[in-house]
């Protein structure tokens, strides 16, 4: 898949672009919906040198092409508090504590639904949750899945962060270790990666790395990728497979859907909300293009097989597909699944049919690529 | 991947939706950008029973995350004539003729770039173009790729329709037969499929079906899927692999990105343009949910391995990912690739680096799944 070195003249490109699709009749006026005076300022500077496109205001219906339960999720208003940005460290700590408190009912529901044992312990001094399903599949007896939770590098301390790990244990019938890594504001980058790396080191003493997978979503997807980059750098063994879900792979927010899906995504809504501030809090003064922070800028050569998950309304659909393409360019076995109508990380919503389907693919992928 | 039968209470779903991402602090006001009086009417009725989301008017910059050449394609204005709808059959014929005339320069460029031999002939009375690359890869000596062109079931009669087939011959170093099937307004559904089926029958007499792939984009992607459905129905042998690109798999336009990417996609722009009228012209009085018309409603069991291609701005991203999910649900080996920032079928634009990458994946997929 080498890049094509043929550089077309612009005129040829323009002709060709219309070749298979557009019509070539007389130029039409821009739709009357486009009125410049109604246009809000762009949220991020367009640094391509080209003019931005003016999008008209419009109504976006709830699609009928998803389950009734998912229709309800898509129809929900923007996440409460999405654009409320904590003013100081104490307010960030309050936000983290309230995120975990709000998750408590769902955590209970997941644990009960899958009849899971959840044990809190530490590895290398890092708090972890060891999640054991009621039944372990025979092929999974010597396998372990390692979970890195999301929440913008600031939310879901404690057991609240382990929900995705619990669902994975339930759907996969495999043991899961979920890492309760240190977070901003008190422990910014690279504390989280230090913790993940320390736990990975402990696990390598007990498990064949080819029998371990690492997974996580959003910030947890970014940390999954960064953890592999760091293991590569440090000469540690790599896992047998990974599953980064809708990874925040580019903390510079350069992905196209960061803008195209702004106000379409009802989970993150826009980078101008709390999540943008959270990422700055996490990164501190570090260069956002550091691959340990933004793994899209890293070298994916030698990465294990990877399955990536996103949704068509996801603010980070671009981060996901760019990660997929870059993995493929590096020759990695990488599989992409994108769910109709879902906003950021909504494939984790308990217990939609689409959630079972997303986890089903991931479980199947781990089962195909981890040594038994 | 069975569906989960657990039906959560709505309140639990709502709690859970916020679990991993959103914050749970006090509800925030809708962004001030949302002003009801600026909202254009929805293009399609929301039949889910839920209220639509109001999207503010905004600016969408050209992303810097793609090649300089693709940035130019993304920055281009809406396709000239996208919302000009021919008034009668004669006007449709004029549009088809001018689409082919406008493509002539690009066709020449592609043929020269790849040094292709293109021979016009007929099979079962159907005009086809037999495309032979200057060099045939050893593994491809007994293989054949069958191309079904796009253009909304109405555009690109003659050699103009074979451009995608020519690029495939060039990138794959494999022979390609491109079918110049009959089109609306003179020959509506199912004339195109009758022609494709007739050619397939002829080819089966000379080639092992496991050594043949079928591919096409947009209308050609839909026809690729429908051709396999029809072959199944008629008990004909199926190809060894298929590559539907951004298929118009759902002619009822129900996919979420038909609305979410309206006015974001600069190729099709909106279903309210010529393409919506073209599909009605093609379908005539037939039920749009007939799987031969809208393959998303068909049974994909037993389908050959499939690779699907789309872009994040594609009006038919939903059709593509829904087809991918449905293939996977049917147990089919199906691979999805989605390109950053690309509108409908822009992965065919000669000769972007991203085009070489998209074809590279498809060529690799055919090479992996077709018998040598």
């Amino acid at each position: 898949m080498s890049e094509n070195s043929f550089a077309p003249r612009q005129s040829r490109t323009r002709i060709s672009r219309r070749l298979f699709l557009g019509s070539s009749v007389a130029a039409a006026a821009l739709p009357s919906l486009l009125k410049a005076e109604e246009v809000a300022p762009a949220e991020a500077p367009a640094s391509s040198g080209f003019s931005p496109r003016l999008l008209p205001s419009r109504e976006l219906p709830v699609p009928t092409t998803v389950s009734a339960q998912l229709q309800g999720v898509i129809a929900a208003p923007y996440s409460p508090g999405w654009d409320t940005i904590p003013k100081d460290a104490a307010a960030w700590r309050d936000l983290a504590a309230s995120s975990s408190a709000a998750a408590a009912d769902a955590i209970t529901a997941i644990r009960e639904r899958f009849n899971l044992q959840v044990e809190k312990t530490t590895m290398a001094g890092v708090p972890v949750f060891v999640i054991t399903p009621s039944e372990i599949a025979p092929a999974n007896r010597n396998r372990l899945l390692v979970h890195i939770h999301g929440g913008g590098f600031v939310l879901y301390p404690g057991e609240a962060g382990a929900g995705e790990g619990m669902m994975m244990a339930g759907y996969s019938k495999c043991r899961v270790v979920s890492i309760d890594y240190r977070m901003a504001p008190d422990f910014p980058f690279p504390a989280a990666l230090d913790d993940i790396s320390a736990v990975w080191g402990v696990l390598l003493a007990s498990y064949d790395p080819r029998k371990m997978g690492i997974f996580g979503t959003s910030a947890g997807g970014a940390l999954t990728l960064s953890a592999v980059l760091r293991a590569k750098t440090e000469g540690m063994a790599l896992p047998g497979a990974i599953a980064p879900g809708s990874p925040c792979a580019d903390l510079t927010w350069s992905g196209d859907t960061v803008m195209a899906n702004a106000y379409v995504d009802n989970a993150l809504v826009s980078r101008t909300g709390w999540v943008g501030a959270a990422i700055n809090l996490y990164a501190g003064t570090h260069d956002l293009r550091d691959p340990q922070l933004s793994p899209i800028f890293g070298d994916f050569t030698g990465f294990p097989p990877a399955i990536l998950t996103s949704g068509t309304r996801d603010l980070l659909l671009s981060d996901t597909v760019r990660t997929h393409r870059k993995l493929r360019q590096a020759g990695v076995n990488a599989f992409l699944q994108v769910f109709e109508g879902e906003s950021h990380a909504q494939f984790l919503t308990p217990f939609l049919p689409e959630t079972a389907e997303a986890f089903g693919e991931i479980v199947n992928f781990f089962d195909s690529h981890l040594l038994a």
Side-chain angles (χ1 to χ4, degrees), chain A:
Chain A
M1 288 196 300
S2 64
E3 288 197 350
N4 193 306
S5 60
F6 185 89
R9 285 173 295 122
Q10 179 65 19
S11 62
R12 179 175 294 169
T13 302
R14 193 172 303 134
I15 289 167
S16 312
R17 206 172 52 74
R18 302 199 306 239
L19 172 55
F20 306 104
L21 310 153
S23 71
S24 57
V25 294
L30 284 175
S32 58
L33 295 174
L34 290 178
K35 293 176 191 160
E37 65 270 29
E38 293 174 6
V39 174
E43 297 173 75
S47 49
S48 65
F50 291 102
S51 298
R53 177 160 302 139
L54 307 181
L55 298 181
S57 177
R58 58 213 160 90
E59 291 188 344
L60 178 61
V62 173
T64 57
T65 47
V66 300
S67 71
Q69 298 101 303
L70 179 54
Q71 288 179 33
V73 172
I74 294 171
Y78 295 147
S79 293
W82 75 268
D83 59 353
T84 304
I85 300 174
K87 292 193 170 40
D88 54 25
W92 279 107
R93 283 183 213 107
D94 286 349
L95 177 61
S98 62
S99 73
S100 288
D105 284 358
I107 291 292
T108 301
I110 294 167
R111 197 172 39 207
E112 289 177 359
R113 162 73 180 78
F114 291 111
N115 192 19
L116 304 168
Q117 259 200 306
V118 181
E119 182 205 355
K120 182 172 179 169
T121 178
T122 63
M123 293 182 179
V126 177
V128 300
F129 294 89
V130 177
I131 307 162
T132 310
S134 56
E135 179 199 343
I136 307 247
N140 289 339
R141 277 194 195 126
N142 299 313
R143 288 173 174 162
L144 182 73
L145 300 178
V146 180
H147 174 234
I148 307 174
H149 73 80
F153 306 97
V154 293
L155 302 187
Y156 308 114
E159 193 176 4
E164 179 183 16
M166 293 183 195
M167 287 200 285
M168 184 66 81
Y171 284 118
S172 67
K173 300 180 180 174
C174 184
R175 278 182 204 88
V176 171
V177 166
S178 182
I179 305 175
D180 187 15
Y181 56 84
R182 287 171 297 163
M183 296 194 287
D186 296 308
F187 300 99
F189 176 83
L193 276 172
D194 289 344
D195 288 357
I196 293 162
S197 183
V199 170
W200 184 244
V202 168
L203 293 173
L204 284 176
S206 308
Y207 286 87
D208 184 330
R210 297 169 298 173
K211 300 180 181 180
M212 287 195 285
I214 304 182
F215 68 101
T217 294
S218 193
L223 290 168
T224 296
L225 295 162
S226 294
V228 176
L229 286 171
R230 176 149 168 174
K232 267 181 66 176
T233 303
E234 298 187 349
M236 298 173 85
L238 306 186
I242 58 174
S246 191
C248 300
D250 181 356
L251 300 193
T252 72
W253 296 103
S254 299
D256 190 48
T257 60
V258 170
M259 300 305 291
N261 278 342
Y263 304 102
V264 170
D265 180 319
N266 67 348
L268 288 181
V269 188
S270 158
R271 66 184 283 265
T272 59
W274 70 268
V275 69
I279 278 171
N280 292 338
L281 194 71
Y282 168 63
T285 57
H286 293 272
D287 180 358
L288 290 171
R289 292 177 61 94
D290 182 334
Q292 297 282 314
L293 271 168
S294 293
I296 195 72
F297 301 114
D299 174 8
F300 291 164
T301 309
F303 261 49
I307 178 170
L308 295 113
T309 307
S310 185
T312 60
R313 293 193 182 192
D314 186 356
L315 205 68
L316 299 187
L317 173 61
S318 282
D319 283 43
T320 310
V321 305
R322 288 167 63 208
T323 300
H324 182 239
R325 295 303 338 138
K326 189 161 179 175
L327 285 163
R328 292 295 299 143
Q329 288 163 9
V332 176
N333 178 348
F335 182 90
L336 173 68
Q337 59 175 344
V338 178
F339 284 83
E340 166 80 339
E342 289 195 339
S343 294
H344 186 61
Q346 284 178 340
F347 65 89
L348 299 182
T349 314
F351 299 95
L352 308 183
E354 288 86 353
T355 300
E357 185 177 346
F359 274 90
E361 282 280 16
I362 297 168
V363 167
N364 181 56
F365 192 86
F366 277 139
D367 196 49
S368 301
H369 295 289
L370 297 184
L371 213 62

